[in-house]
Structure formats: structure tokens, C-alpha cells
């Protein structure tokens, strides 16, 4: 189903188009029409299925800029609250709807100032919402829509009592939309007690075409990732590839570094203007761009065919996000490959992903500098073949005559090859180190209830070669796993790009 078939207003449809969304996901196609009718909805769906737009579009259609808080969205973590706030802001931009996000661990004074402006939509974590209610700052008497997102996560984190306290502050005549990946008894009780004859929507966990996606991981230190990424790209020669990074800063730095090394790459994240984001996506879809660097949030809703490789520069904290990421490749019966870079203390997250996908990733030895160079040279031959297929050579004849009279064929060929090959020693790129994901035991699914107001990262359980090059002619080998430091702030040796014969240094701070 397409969004323009859902009776949505023009401002929302314009925002949807600018965000690059095309057809609605199953959860959106089932939820939006019923929610627009005012029905309560109980949705069972995993992260990464498009839930934010599923509940966001109907509530944005209902609210107006005046009248106080009309929609309250409760999220289990600070990160999800921020992500949801960003997406709702973009969806409601052309309707002029303002949103405010509140969560623990940030200045409550600033959040109080924002609430005094009476935003129509408030997103937040349970502890901070309850705190603001008790202070008399967050007034909920005009709320028409309540959203409980990832309800089972909030249950695990000990938020049930807070949620019930918040709900009691709401008008009894309201619409409630509840989403949960699983449906334990406590969630059923909340639905029975606080929802009015809810319609049930069940979307199965996103299934991967695992037989078509070759999944690998490469164990490395954080400072090694960028050089390894460029080596993999040189050898595997992807037609279209997406590089996923954990933060906006990472996206900017990786994208800039790739461009400095001569690759056709751009990044997208939530801080970009919608015109810029739409332009980047259009270029990527049209093949004018080879590599897209993106955060999970910015990549939501993408439907781009022809992606052959996905590189997880940073392993995702949520295993469902991994499924969402690699699902960008291996489409329409075509093969795809994913490579995940993982540090030693993040191996537990990799094991969690394997538990979820029911498929073990293969260790992949990174290509050496020489192997990367060989990969480039193979690609150069193909590029040269395309370059010599010129019908009208008359405009070039003067230069051709001069070169042929003054240089040998070998010298001219050498100059051409050197101009097309990226010299590994010419441009050094340093990526700002990121703090690794918290190390924890495999079965430590949730944070202690005492930490719940902070709204921090969720902890989920998580499962650590050889090297595989281009599918057309690579090779596999084995390498022993070595002990790695949990966090290494050493700088990269950088790598590689010839720049008109001059050595340059490019540092990212």
C-alpha cells in the first residue's frame, strides 16, 4: 500500500516523500488506517519495522499547534525517545507541528522551558515524564493519543508502575496505541486495563533471505576500521554499498574520509536538511553515488534496489537493527554480502545477532594492502575498457599525437593506471574514537531499575578467519583470533590515495 492511498493530508505526504519513504511497511499499512479512524491498536512488531511512522502519522494528522499537549509517546530509553522525536519532527515539519523530547540524564530546567511553550507532541522516558508531571509542568488533561512504544522493553526495565501512574493522569477518553515485540502477561494486563477494545496487528519478525546474503565479521580495533573498510571496497568492488555508522559524527567523518581517498560517497543523518538528504538518496538510487554512509535512523524507509554490499562500520546495539541493515542487500533474488567490524569486547553483541538470525557469521580476514591494490588494478582494466569506447576521437587528436610522439605506449599506459589507482600512502584519515558498547554478560538483558530514569542505552544479550574477496574470484583463508584491547585510542596508520602525484594528509578531528 502506498501512503497516498491512506487519506493522509498533503503536508504529511510531502514530508513522507522528502524523507524518501515509498511504500508503507506491513505495520504501517495495517495500523495507519485504523488509527486514523480513532481505534485503539495493539501492535506486535519488532524494532526496524517502521513503527514510528505507523503511530506518528495518525497522531500528527489529529493534533494542531494550539491546545497544549495532545499526544504523549512513552519510550523505554533516551536514545529511542530522541530518535522518535527526530522522526516525528521531520514528518510534521510541513504541518508546523512542534515536538518536545524529555528524558533523564539531561537538564530538566531546559526541558521545563520547552514544555512551557505547550508543544502538541511530547516524547519521553517514563521516569522523567512522571517527574515533570509531579512538578506540575507537564499537563496531560488535553491528551487525545497515548503511545506506548516497545512496551516489553519497558516491562523488562521495571517501568510498569511508572507507566500506570502516568496513564492515570490522562483523560479516560483517548486513543491508545501500544507496540511490543513480545506479549508477556503483564503487557496483556496493561492492554486489558487501559485500552478500549483494541484492534490487533501482528507483524512477523523481518525475515532475511539468509541464503542470498553472505554474512561475515572482521575482528579489529576501532582505529583500524577505516583502512580495513577501504581495503574491502577495493577488493570486493561493490556496485552499490551502504556503510552503517553508529553516530552522526561517525557518518560525517567516514563519508569525508572516503571522498578524500577518491571514492564516490556521501553521508546521511538526522541533522541534514531534507533537501540535502533527498538529493543524496536520489543520486544513490540513480547510480551517481557508489557508497552511502548512514545512521540507522536516517536509513529507515529506504527501498533501494541494486545494493550489493552492506558494511557495518559499527556493530549495532540492537540485534534487530542488524537485520534491518543487511536487509538492504540480497533483494529481488540477487546475492548480497554484509561485513561487520567488531572489537573484542563487542563480540557478545555479535553472538546475540547470531542468536536472533539463527545464522552464524563467518570470520573474515581483512585483505592486505597488496590484495587491495590488486583489486584496484583489476577494476582499472574494466574502467579503461569503457574509456576507450569513444566514437568521436577528433577532439582529442592533438593531445593523442603529442603523447604518441613523445612517450612510449608503456609510459602512457602507466600514467593512466597511476591516475586511476588510489595510492595507500597519500591521504591519511583519522576517525575520532568512539567509546565501545558496554561489555556485559550474555544474559544481562536489561538495566537495573535504579538506572531507569537515566533513559540510557538498552543492554541486550549478544555471540567470536578467513578473507573473502569479490564473489567473482576471491579466496578464503583462515586466521587465528588474537586477544584485542577493549578500547584502543591509537591513531590509524591511515591509508591510501594518490592525489595528482602529491602526498597529502587529511585529519578528521
Amino acid at each position: 500500500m502506498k501512503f497516498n492511498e491512506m487519506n493522509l493530508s498533503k503536508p504529511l505526504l510531502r514530508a513522507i516523500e522528502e524523507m524518501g519513504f515509498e511504500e508503507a511497511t506491513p505495520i504501517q499499512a495495517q495500523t495507519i488506517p485504523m488509527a486514523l479512524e480513532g481505534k485503539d491498536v495493539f501492535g506486535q512488531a519488532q524494532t526496524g519495522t517502521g513503527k514510528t511512522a505507523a503511530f506518528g502519522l495518525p497522531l500528527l494528522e489529529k493534533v494542531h499547534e494550539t491546545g497544549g499537549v495532545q499526544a504523549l509517546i512513552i519510550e523505554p530509553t533516551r536514545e529511542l525517545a530522541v530518535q522518535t522525536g527526530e522522526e516525528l519532527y521531520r514528518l510534521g515539519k510541513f504541518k508546523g507541528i512542534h515536538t518536545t523530547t524529555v528524558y533523564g540524564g539531561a537538564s530538566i530546567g531546559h526541558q521545563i522551558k520547552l514544555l512551557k511553550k505547550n508543544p502538541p507532541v511530547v516524547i519521553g522516558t517514563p521516569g522523567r515524564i512522571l517527574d515533570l508531571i509531579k512538578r506540575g509542568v507537564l499537563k496531560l488533561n488535553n491528551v487525545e493519543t497515548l503511545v506506548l512504544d516497545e512496551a516489553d522493553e519497558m516491562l523488562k526495565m521495571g517501568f510498569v508502575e511508572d507507566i500506570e501512574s502516568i496513564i492515570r493522569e490522562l483523560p479516560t477518553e483517548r486513543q491508545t496505541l501500544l507496540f511490543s515485540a513480545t506479549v508477556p502477561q503483564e503487557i496483556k494486563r496493561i492492554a486489558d486495563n487501559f485500552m478500549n477494545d483494541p484492534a490487533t496487528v501482528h507483524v512477523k519478525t523481518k525475515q532475511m533471505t539468509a541464503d542470498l546474503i553472505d554474512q561475515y565479521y572482521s575482528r579489529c580495533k576501532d582505529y583500524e576500521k577505516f583502512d580495513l573498510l577501504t581495503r574491502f571496497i577495493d577488493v570486493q568492488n561493490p556496485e552499490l554499498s551502504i556503510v552503517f555508522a553508529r553516530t552522526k559524527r561517525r557518518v560525517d567523518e567516514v563519508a569525508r574520509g572516503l571522498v578524500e581517498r577518491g571514492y564516490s560517497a556521501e553521508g546521511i543523518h538526522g541533522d541534514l536538511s531534507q533537501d540535502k538528504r533527498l538529493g543524496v538518496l536520489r543520486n544513490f538510487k540513480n547510480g551517481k553515488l557508489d557508497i552511502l554512509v548512514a545512521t540507522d535512523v536516517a536509513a529507515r524507509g529506504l527501498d533501494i534496489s541494486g545494493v550489493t554490499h552492506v558494511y557495518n562500520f559499527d556493530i549495532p546495539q540492537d540485534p534487530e537493527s542488524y537485520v534491518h541493515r543487511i536487509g538492504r542487500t540480497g533483494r529481488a533474488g540477487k546475492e548480497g554480502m554484509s561485513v561487520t567490524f567488531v572489537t573484542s569486547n563487542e563480540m557478545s553483541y555479535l553472538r546475540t545477532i547470531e542468536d536472533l538470525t539463527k545464522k552464524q557469521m563467518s570470520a573474515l580476514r581483512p585483505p592486505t594492502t597488496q590484495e587491495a591494490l590488486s583489486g584496484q588494478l583489476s577494476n582499472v582494466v574494466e574502467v579503461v575498457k569503457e574509456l576507450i569506447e569513444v566514437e568521436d576521437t577528433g577532439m582529442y587528436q592533438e593531445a593523442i599525437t603529442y603523447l604518441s610522439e613523445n612517450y612510449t605506449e608503456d609510459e602512457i599506459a602507466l600514467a593512466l593506471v597511476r591516475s586511476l589507482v588510489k595510492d595507500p600512502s597519500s591521504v591519511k584519515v583519522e576517525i575520532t574514537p568512539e567509546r565501545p558498547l558496554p561489555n556485559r554478560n550474555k544474559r544481562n538483558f536489561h538495566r537495573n531499575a535504579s538506572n531507569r530514569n537515566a533513559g540510557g542505552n538498552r543492554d541486550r544479550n549478544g555471540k567470536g578467519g578467513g578473507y573473502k574477496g569479490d564473489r567473482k574470484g576471491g579466496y578464503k583463508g583462515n586466521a587465528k583470533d588474537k586477544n584485542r584491547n577493549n578500547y584502543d585510542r591509537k591513531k590509524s596508520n591511515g591509508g591510501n590515495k594518490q592525489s595528482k602525484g602529491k602526498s597529502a594528509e587529511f585529519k578528521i578531528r
Side-chain angles (χ1 to χ4, degrees):
M1 179 180 288
K2 296 186 179 297
F3 287 103
N4 58 15
E5 300 173 342
M6 294 185 179
N7 199 30
L8 294 168
S9 62
K10 289 183 179 179
L12 294 184
L13 290 174
R14 182 183 173 190
I16 291 167
E17 181 181 358
E18 287 213 353
M19 292 175 70
F21 292 166
E22 296 182 353
E23 291 194 4
T25 66
I27 189 70
Q28 293 164 355
Q30 296 181 58
T31 300
I32 292 174
M34 291 189 292
L36 287 173
E37 294 176 3
K39 295 180 180 179
D40 284 9
V41 177
F42 188 122
Q44 186 176 356
Q46 299 281 353
T47 299
T49 53
K51 290 188 283 90
T52 304
F55 63 71
L57 289 169
L59 72 84
L60 288 171
E61 195 70 82
K62 290 170 58 177
V63 302
H64 42 85
E65 191 58 27
T66 59
V69 181
Q70 300 148 58
L72 178 67
I73 303 165
I74 307 179
E75 298 281 359
T77 70
R78 167 174 45 195
E79 286 74 21
L80 277 177
V82 170
Q83 291 174 11
T84 299
E86 290 174 348
E87 190 159 344
L88 291 186
Y89 169 78
R90 294 195 293 270
L91 287 170
K93 180 174 68 171
F94 296 111
K95 193 178 176 184
I97 300 301
H98 292 86
T99 65
T100 292
T101 306
V102 298
Y103 48 83
S107 169
I108 195 169
H110 177 66
Q111 293 174 2
I112 289 173
K113 289 181 181 179
L114 293 175
L115 290 174
K116 287 182 177 179
K117 297 179 181 179
N118 293 318
V121 180
V122 172
I123 309 102
T125 52
R128 180 53 58 94
I129 290 174
L130 195 58
D131 191 357
L132 291 165
I133 291 172
K134 292 178 178 178
R135 291 171 182 249
V137 180
L138 180 56
K139 303 183 187 303
L140 303 177
N141 50 299
N142 291 327
V143 169
E144 297 176 357
T145 305
L146 167 68
V147 178
L148 299 174
D149 193 19
E150 305 228 0
D152 53 347
E153 284 298 318
M154 291 193 278
L155 172 63
K156 293 176 185 176
M157 298 170 72
F159 282 133
V160 171
E161 290 183 5
D162 286 354
I163 291 171
E164 292 180 344
S165 297
I166 294 169
I167 292 176
R168 293 188 184 99
E169 299 293 325
L170 299 171
T172 54
E173 294 295 323
R174 66 171 188 278
Q175 181 182 38
T176 302
L177 309 175
L178 185 151
F179 295 89
S180 184
T182 60
V183 190
Q185 193 61 39
E186 193 71 9
I187 299 300
K188 291 180 180 179
R189 186 184 65 80
I190 291 176
D192 291 340
N193 291 343
F194 298 105
M195 300 182 75
N196 180 26
D197 190 24
T200 301
V201 174
H202 184 192
V203 176
K204 294 182 179 179
T205 303
K206 184 181 178 84
Q207 296 296 316
M208 296 178 300
T209 52
D211 54 329
L212 296 178
I213 303 176
D214 295 328
Q215 300 175 56
Y216 299 94
Y217 74 91
S218 187
R219 194 165 174 174
C220 60
K221 295 178 181 178
D222 188 77
Y223 72 86
E224 297 173 324
K225 290 181 178 180
F226 187 81
D227 285 335
L228 296 187
L229 172 65
T230 58
R231 291 181 197 171
F232 276 120
I233 293 172
D234 288 341
V235 173
Q236 295 173 347
N237 189 27
E239 295 176 20
L240 283 178
S241 60
I242 302 179
V243 179
F244 283 98
R246 189 175 299 139
T247 64
K248 299 171 187 176
R249 179 178 66 182
R250 282 278 234 222
V251 167
D252 288 337
E253 293 185 353
V254 171
R256 284 182 59 195
L258 288 171
V259 170
E260 288 295 320
R261 292 242 180 126
Y263 301 94
S264 174
E266 282 199 71
I268 58 170
H269 54 64
D271 284 350
L272 294 183
S273 68
Q274 292 307 312
D275 288 342
K276 173 65 174 175
R277 183 178 184 274
L278 194 62
V280 172
L281 293 177
R282 186 182 302 113
N283 289 338
F284 189 61
K285 289 182 179 181
N286 295 337
K288 296 178 181 178
L289 192 65
D290 297 331
I291 305 169
L292 180 69
V293 188
T295 58
D296 288 311
V297 175
R300 287 181 182 175
L302 295 185
D303 186 14
I304 300 172
S305 60
V307 175
T308 57
H309 291 67
V310 168
Y311 298 100
N312 293 308
F313 196 86
D314 299 307
I315 192 169
Q317 181 166 358
D318 292 329
E320 292 90 348
S321 295
Y322 173 84
V323 177
H324 195 57
R325 288 180 180 187
I326 72 167
R328 303 301 178 193
T329 186
R331 293 189 172 191
K334 296 182 180 180
E335 293 184 352
M337 176 185 290
S338 71
V339 180
T340 300
F341 299 139
V342 58
T343 60
S344 292
N345 73 314
E346 293 173 339
M347 288 298 293
S348 58
Y349 289 86
L350 185 140
R351 301 309 178 204
T352 298
I353 290 170
E354 291 178 333
D355 288 344
L356 176 69
T357 61
K358 302 297 188 291
K359 183 173 181 179
Q360 188 172 359
M361 287 187 238
S362 301
L364 194 61
R365 177 181 62 78
T368 64
T369 302
Q370 183 58 47
E371 290 164 353
L373 178 60
S374 298
Q376 286 193 59
L377 292 174
S378 297
N379 188 45
V380 163
V381 172
E382 299 300 319
V383 172
V384 172
K385 286 180 181 179
E386 295 178 4
L387 290 174
I388 63 177
E389 293 177 359
V390 180
E391 294 181 1
D392 182 11
T393 61
M395 68 179 74
Y396 310 114
Q397 193 58 52
E398 183 178 350
I400 293 171
T401 301
Y402 174 82
L403 291 172
S404 61
E405 290 177 351
N406 291 276
Y407 300 96
T408 67
E409 292 179 358
D410 286 346
E411 288 174 330
I412 295 173
L414 176 61
L416 175 60
V417 171
R418 287 185 61 191
S419 70
L420 294 173
V421 170
K422 297 178 282 292
D423 182 358
S425 63
S426 59
V427 177
K428 295 182 179 180
V429 175
E430 296 178 2
I431 305 296
T432 305
E434 288 280 347
R435 189 173 299 280
L437 294 176
N439 200 353
R440 75 281 189 266
N441 294 328
K442 182 176 179 181
R443 296 302 175 188
N444 184 13
F445 280 91
H446 53 83
R447 301 174 70 89
N448 292 330
S450 60
N451 293 330
R452 62 191 182 188
N453 289 346
N457 292 334
R458 287 174 291 177
D459 282 341
R460 289 184 174 176
N461 72 324
K463 248 178 173 187
Y467 161 68
K468 182 174 182 180
D470 192 329
R471 292 191 302 273
K472 296 178 181 178
Y475 71 89
K476 291 184 179 180
N478 289 312
K480 297 179 180 178
D481 283 339
K482 297 180 180 180
N483 291 329
R484 306 287 187 179
N485 295 329
N486 284 345
Y487 184 58
D488 199 312
R489 294 183 177 271
K490 293 181 181 179
K491 295 181 178 179
S492 168
N493 291 329
N496 336 48
K497 175 75 189 162
Q498 181 170 334
S499 178
K500 302 296 182 183
K502 296 181 180 180
S503 177
E505 185 176 60
F506 174 66
K507 293 185 177 181
I508 300 175
R509 299 295 185 188

